[in-house]
Amino acid sequence: MSVTRMEVAVAACADLFRDNGEIVASPMGLIPSLGAKLARLTFAPDLLLSDGEAYLLDENGVTEGWQPFRKVLDTVVPGGKRHVVMGANQIDRHGNQNISAIGPHGKPRKQLLGVRGGPGNTVNHRTSYWVPRHSTRVFVDEVDVVSGVGRARAIAAGAGRFHDVHRVVTNLGVLAFGDRASLVSVHPGVTVEEVRAATSFELDTGGTGETRVPDDEELRLIRTVLDPESLRDKG
């Protein structure tokens, strides 16, 4: 059975929540949302899915709980039981993330979302990122604005013990940002050199493997239950 690159990415996003237990998942964007739902339907039945506003939902979008914002804060500050998967317009070698603006701070070339919840997310609970187009425009030597903090900045601010940037899933592979940036895995059909060429900084590739392919049951759930219109491949 052939598997598309986005189906591999959905499984990689599902694996972000492996062994999380009963925790609130806040996935932003289609692929992370499909991943969170796939995780709940398979190996993570205790995962709580948030609509990002006031309710907890099941994998079909049916409301199963009430969680207004003040309750979110009760569960996530500090070191709370939540795992957010955000987007990222830029990520640098230190794991800092930018969704705020592109260009010089005094006169940016492009205004984006602002820092949004980036600072709080990256020093209060586990955070991962989804990048649909892995390129040197995203993976830069230094971000123009720090929205989500990397480990060094969190430690310098005295928040190192609460910092947990877990993984970055892209259309090419999976990255991690610990003491240094590393390439955890490349998706099937992607080479390490291809990822290096699309990244502006050096990656540790000493332990790089291949991202797993979703099994037959996972593919059935993705194709017939979670995304029967194949929106995952149209992004």
Side-chain angles (χ1 to χ4, degrees):
M1 183 180 295
S2 63
V3 181
T4 70
R5 183 75 60 78
M6 287 301 102
E7 288 168 341
V8 171
V10 169
C13 285
D15 285 344
L16 295 175
F17 302 102
R18 194 174 289 279
D19 301 323
N20 274 179
E22 187 173 297
I23 191 170
V24 178
S26 298
M28 302 173 190
L30 176 65
I31 300 299
S33 294
L34 291 174
K37 292 176 181 177
L38 180 64
R40 172 157 162 160
L41 285 170
T42 53
F43 56 80
D46 294 332
L47 200 62
L48 302 173
L49 304 178
S50 167
D51 69 349
E53 295 183 4
Y55 297 100
L56 298 172
L57 310 174
D58 70 9
E59 60 276 8
N60 297 313
V62 177
T63 300
E64 61 176 11
W66 181 57
Q67 190 183 51
F69 197 63
R70 66 177 182 274
K71 292 295 184 184
V72 172
L73 295 178
D74 287 345
T75 63
V76 303
V77 180
K81 295 182 177 180
R82 189 185 188 204
H83 188 163
V84 172
V85 185
M86 302 180 68
N89 296 93
Q90 292 179 326
I91 297 176
D92 68 20
R93 65 173 65 243
H94 306 292
N96 298 303
Q97 169 248 29
N98 174 25
I99 54 172
S100 183
I102 301 297
H105 186 265
K107 191 177 182 179
R109 295 191 304 275
K110 184 177 292 186
Q111 180 64 56
L112 306 174
L113 296 173
V115 298
R116 309 292 284 189
N121 287 336
T122 45
V123 295
N124 279 306
H125 46 73
R126 177 165 280 189
T127 300
S128 296
Y129 300 113
W130 158 243
V131 175
R133 293 180 179 81
H134 192 136
S135 75
T136 54
R137 297 181 62 181
V138 176
F139 290 93
V140 297
D141 193 58
E142 186 174 351
V143 297
D144 294 330
V145 179
V146 176
S147 303
V149 298
R151 181 151 187 79
R153 282 179 178 270
I155 292 173
R161 67 191 180 102
F162 302 120
H163 184 263
D164 185 10
V165 170
H166 180 53
R167 291 288 185 272
V168 181
V169 178
T170 82
N171 61 317
L172 299 182
V174 181
L175 285 70
F177 289 81
D179 293 331
R180 58 181 303 187
S182 63
L183 181 59
V184 177
S185 66
V186 290
H187 298 336
V190 178
T191 67
V192 170
E193 288 309 313
E194 189 177 349
V195 177
R196 280 180 164 154
T199 307
S200 296
F201 48 83
E202 183 180 354
L203 289 169
D204 182 351
T205 59
T208 302
E210 184 171 273
T211 313
R212 75 175 181 91
V213 174
D215 62 26
D216 289 348
E217 174 60 11
E218 288 175 315
L219 285 175
R220 184 191 70 80
L221 290 169
I222 293 170
R223 294 175 178 179
T224 66
V225 177
L226 299 176
D227 186 28
E229 297 181 356
S230 298
L231 297 177
R232 61 192 176 278
D233 293 318
K234 298 175 182 176

